[in-house]
Amino acid sequence: MRAAVAADFASWRRQARALLQAAVPPEDVEWQAPGESSLFDAEPLPDAKATARIPRELVSLLEASACHADPDRWALMYRLLWRVARGSHRTLLADAADADVARLTTMAKAVDREVHKMHAFVRFKTGAAGLYEAWFEPEHDILRRAAPFFRDRFASMRWIIATPRGAAHWNGEEIAYVDAPMARPAASQDAKEALWRTYYASIFNPARLNPKAMRQHMPQRYWKNLPEAQDIVRMSRPRDVLQAPVAAPRWAGRVRVDVPDPTQLQSCRRCPLWENATQAVPGEGPGAARVMLVGEQPGDEEDLKGRPFVGPAGKVLERALLEAGIARDSIYVTNAVKHFKWEPRGKRRLHKTPAQREIEACQLWLDRELAVVKPEVIVAMGATAAFALTGEKLSIAKLRAMQMRHASGARLIVTYHPSAILRGEERAGALFDALRDDLRRAGGIAAG
């Protein structure tokens, strides 16, 4: 088993060229990092001579992948290089389904994202002798890939950017790199921080920006090195929402029961959904309601207002309840998942279906609501609610036809979610009729 040593892309490239010239197949190469022990010493290889021409896009892919933290990257890179250079795989890079191509492409994208994060989230502080200092903790070894951006942008400054893997120092003429582990510097105050925070707050205009999308693109692992981080939570909701007085419920005499305790729910970290949500949204309704409606998760408006079914789907639900002869203030309404899961699409936040692990993480809160309210009838609206209450992944049509009871003993009815009616187009009328009829049936059971 031959062994080769690779510490960075340049080192790997020299070794890979020599191995390729010597016709050493990937399965015969053991890639070692400097200082790693092995049963065999690294074998001397012939000097690299002319080799097969390699597509430029492959070189770019390999160069980016070399910065990834995956310890298996060197072997994976050489295997793809071998396949392209020595086989009938000249068009291999165009095959997105190929396992090696897909994995390296994913790694390269992760590296590029991390470079973008470094460009966005490095913050300099004034150090000794006019030197500007910054500390950044990237997931991948991207310092050399990211540093030229700061050279071009801050050419008149003298700066140093330190990371756990090394440092880059710009002296006004060239960037010098230190390839040695660095320690996080002690916290220090910068007189310009207060000015920067004031400026940041003034340009953070929720009327123009989507604050939740901004939080998504500024993950919390970066916050400890950002002076403005302590202001992000305060500014993470639109100002009109923060400053507006709390409106009374639209329905007079409504008894609002936040179950479980809102303090506990707001601090829930059982799954990652809380990171990009404005708040957790508890259920609402009388504490002894005979009927409980369970939806999927809060939507965009629910996420901002902190109340279930107050957006477009809520309007559909209220119309269905009205036609079914049920007063909304007589029932308890909640969701299987308490945080809004979404993805950005331009300036909009689009709903994204919760994953099974997220539904299961929220099961605790739904069980507590059921234990407090003790409904006689539970209506599961949509596939997510049906799974949370039954554990079944059958179609809504099949579940509607089944006679079921929840583990609590309550009658369980599965029906369509109001949002399905909004998306139903030509089927919207039939879906609405089904929802209304199922609600009417639930009301009749509870009244009987």
Side-chain angles (χ1 to χ4, degrees):
M1 179 73 71
R2 290 179 170 84
V5 178
D8 53 34
F9 179 69
S11 173
W12 174 88
R13 179 171 54 187
R14 288 192 297 271
Q15 298 287 355
R17 283 176 175 172
L19 290 166
L20 201 60
Q21 179 65 25
V24 181
E27 58 270 20
D28 289 345
V29 182
E30 176 190 353
W31 293 92
Q32 294 175 241
E36 282 187 352
S37 60
S38 172
L39 294 176
F40 306 96
D41 292 331
E43 301 176 22
L45 295 170
D47 293 336
K49 300 178 182 178
T51 57
R53 292 181 61 85
I54 304 302
R56 181 176 298 177
E57 56 267 32
L58 175 59
V59 176
S60 298
L61 179 64
L62 296 174
E63 190 172 10
S65 301
C67 299
H68 201 276
D70 190 333
D72 297 328
R73 63 192 181 280
W74 309 117
L76 177 62
M77 290 161 58
Y78 184 62
R79 185 166 67 239
L80 183 60
L81 176 65
W82 174 272
R83 294 175 63 196
V84 171
R86 299 188 61 88
S88 56
H89 299 85
R90 297 291 179 175
T91 60
L92 183 60
L93 292 182
D95 184 5
D98 180 85
D100 290 342
V101 173
R103 186 176 172 192
L104 277 174
T105 300
T106 300
M107 290 166 61
K109 288 181 177 179
V111 167
D112 288 341
R113 283 196 300 271
E114 195 72 358
V115 169
H116 172 74
K117 300 297 185 187
M118 185 170 181
H119 291 168
F121 301 142
V122 160
R123 298 291 184 266
F124 288 103
K125 291 187 176 183
T126 305
L131 182 69
Y132 288 87
E133 304 170 347
W135 172 258
F136 191 73
E137 300 176 37
E139 289 187 347
H140 307 294
D141 191 11
I142 60 167
L143 183 61
R144 291 175 182 268
R145 197 171 178 86
F149 166 87
F150 298 98
R151 174 200 61 199
D152 298 339
R153 187 165 187 180
F154 304 110
S156 61
M157 292 169 43
R158 304 296 183 267
W159 51 256
I160 183 170
I161 302 174
T163 75
R165 295 180 177 88
H169 175 215
W170 169 248
N171 60 13
E173 297 181 356
E174 62 180 359
I175 302 177
Y177 294 96
V178 177
D179 295 320
M182 306 293 290
R184 179 186 175 90
S188 62
Q189 294 294 323
D190 189 322
K192 296 184 175 65
E193 276 192 15
L195 180 62
W196 161 245
R197 288 176 57 191
T198 301
Y199 170 74
Y200 183 86
S202 70
I203 64 171
F204 190 93
N205 183 355
R208 293 186 292 106
L209 301 177
N210 185 329
K212 296 312 298 171
M214 191 166 189
R215 287 186 68 188
Q216 183 189 41
H217 294 296
M218 189 184 286
Q220 285 187 281
R221 68 185 178 92
Y222 300 110
W223 287 17
K224 59 185 176 183
N225 298 318
L226 300 177
E228 68 273 20
Q230 53 194 298
D231 301 318
I232 292 175
V233 174
R234 178 178 59 81
M235 298 188 296
S236 63
R237 299 182 196 173
R239 292 173 186 170
D240 57 344
V241 174
L242 285 173
Q243 296 171 359
V246 178
R250 287 181 296 165
W251 38 87
R254 174 77 180 267
V255 178
R256 175 168 178 162
V257 178
D258 289 339
V259 182
D261 179 83
T263 303
Q264 296 180 14
L265 183 58
Q266 295 305 333
S267 62
C268 180
R269 301 295 184 266
R270 294 172 62 85
C271 77
L273 293 187
W274 67 274
E275 296 180 355
N276 296 322
T278 304
Q279 59 193 310
V281 180
E284 281 189 354
R290 291 186 174 185
V291 178
M292 175 185 283
L293 305 189
V294 182
E296 180 189 76
Q297 65 167 353
D300 183 80
E301 289 191 41
E302 290 81 2
D303 174 70
L304 294 174
K305 296 178 180 178
R307 298 174 58 197
F309 287 93
V310 293
K315 292 181 173 62
V316 174
L317 176 60
E318 290 196 357
R319 184 162 65 92
L321 287 168
L322 180 64
E323 294 190 17
I326 299 175
R328 176 163 174 169
D329 58 1
S330 68
I331 60 175
Y332 189 89
V333 184
T334 190
N335 284 295
V337 175
K338 309 304 184 189
H339 286 106
F340 180 31
K341 183 176 183 179
W342 58 277
E343 58 185 359
R345 189 71 55 83
K347 295 183 178 180
R348 300 174 59 201
R349 300 190 298 173
L350 293 188
H351 158 278
K352 192 173 182 180
T353 303
Q356 179 173 333
R357 63 183 180 277
E358 294 157 351
I359 300 171
E360 293 172 346
C362 241
Q363 190 71 47
L364 168 71
W365 304 118
L366 181 58
D367 288 346
R368 287 189 182 180
E369 289 176 303
L370 288 165
V372 171
V373 180
K374 297 181 176 63
E376 297 176 20
V377 186
I378 305 170
V379 180
M381 300 185 294
T384 296
F387 175 75
L389 291 162
T390 69
E392 298 287 348
K393 291 187 176 181
L394 301 175
S395 68
I396 299 299
K398 290 183 178 179
L399 291 170
R400 284 188 73 224
M402 298 171 64
Q403 298 289 329
M404 293 181 289
R405 283 192 179 273
H406 185 257
S408 64
R411 286 285 298 274
L412 179 59
I413 296 173
V414 177
T415 189
Y416 297 99
H417 195 283
S419 62
I421 297 168
L422 295 173
R423 300 189 303 265
E425 297 179 354
E426 65 273 8
R427 296 184 59 232
L431 294 177
F432 178 83
D433 290 345
L435 172 62
R436 178 200 58 211
D437 294 344
D438 291 333
L439 292 172
R440 183 179 291 146
R441 182 157 60 98
I445 294 172

